[in-house]
Amino acid sequence: GLSAGVLAYLVQLQFNFSVIDITPIFWIFIGTAMSISSIALNKTERIISLPFKLTSPVSLKSASAVLLLIIFGISILSIRPVIADTYFRQGLEALQVNNLEMAVDELSSARDFDSKEIYYSQELGKVYIKLLSATKDKTYFSKAIEVLDEAQKINPLNEYTYLYSGDAYLACAEILKEPENLICCKAHDN
């Protein structure tokens, strides 16, 4: 089972590098598999000794409960990025069929589940720019800039965030006929 978990993670890495939060589980699986593997140690028999005795049923139940709590805590931490990626995929699918409102809902949910992933905010900003173009409603400009500013705070070195912010200002200047947005970088605060 542990080897299958390691293999599944390695296969997943070939398609998606964004799930960094799950990496510690990968190393736990490898460490556990190596520690109980008699082949890796070139021994036919493996004796596991603990620094305390588990002879009483109470201590065995306590150790099991602590282990289950640790596994449950790790599971809770690692499931959030998976759920966020699911919402992100659904948002991209809604975007492909030009359902912009549903894309906003799904991408916002993805961002709520994993607020440290920059791609969710960038895609949401791009959807707001498309909504600005479609509806000519200035509130979408403000939302796009707000979301892209949050993405910039997450990773100020990502050039795509600046590119999408520029697209938002350009769209606001062209569509809403407000060329002052090309000069004043913080026009959305007014």
Side-chain angles (χ1 to χ4, degrees):
L2 294 171
S3 297
V6 169
L7 183 63
Y9 181 76
L10 291 174
V11 169
Q12 179 269 337
L13 277 179
Q14 302 305 311
F15 303 103
N16 184 4
F17 293 102
S18 68
V19 189
I20 295 172
D21 297 338
I22 298 177
T23 304
I25 296 173
F26 168 72
W27 291 108
I28 290 170
F29 281 0
I30 285 183
T32 306
M34 293 303 291
S35 70
I36 62 174
S37 172
S38 61
I39 297 170
L41 299 172
N42 293 327
K43 292 183 179 180
T44 57
E45 183 177 311
R46 175 81 172 147
I47 299 173
I48 299 174
S49 63
L50 299 173
F52 52 89
K53 300 243 182 226
L54 291 176
T55 55
S56 72
V58 173
S59 62
L60 186 59
K61 287 181 182 178
S62 299
S64 298
V66 169
L67 183 62
L68 286 174
L69 283 174
I70 290 171
I71 291 171
F72 180 72
I74 290 172
S75 299
I76 293 296
L77 291 175
S78 64
I79 197 71
R80 292 184 67 83
V82 174
I83 293 172
D85 280 345
T86 302
Y87 279 119
F88 183 66
R89 181 183 50 78
Q90 291 171 349
L92 293 179
E93 289 172 358
L95 194 56
Q96 285 179 344
V97 295
N98 208 25
N99 188 346
L100 299 178
E101 288 80 17
M102 184 177 171
V104 166
D105 292 340
E106 298 296 331
L107 293 171
S108 296
S109 296
R111 217 176 92 226
D112 291 342
F113 270 96
D114 191 0
S115 61
K116 298 298 180 193
E117 182 61 61
I118 193 169
Y119 300 114
Y120 305 151
S121 297
Q122 288 175 340
E123 286 297 321
L124 185 58
K126 286 171 32 180
V127 172
Y128 282 136
I129 294 169
K130 286 185 179 189
L131 281 168
L132 171 66
S133 298
T135 64
K136 297 182 179 22
D137 184 359
K138 191 173 181 176
T139 58
Y140 291 122
F141 168 71
S142 299
K143 290 179 181 181
I145 294 300
E146 178 184 331
V147 167
L148 292 168
D149 283 348
E150 290 174 14
Q152 186 179 1
K153 289 175 187 171
I154 295 170
N155 184 359
L157 300 177
N158 189 299
E159 68 273 7
Y160 291 107
T161 305
Y162 297 103
L163 176 69
Y164 301 143
S165 294
D167 288 345
Y169 283 108
L170 186 61
C172 186
E174 289 177 346
I175 294 167
L176 300 178
K177 307 292 187 229
E178 296 178 6
E180 66 272 5
N181 286 334
L182 293 175
I183 299 168
C184 180
C185 292
K186 295 295 181 184
H188 66 280
D189 292 336
N190 295 334

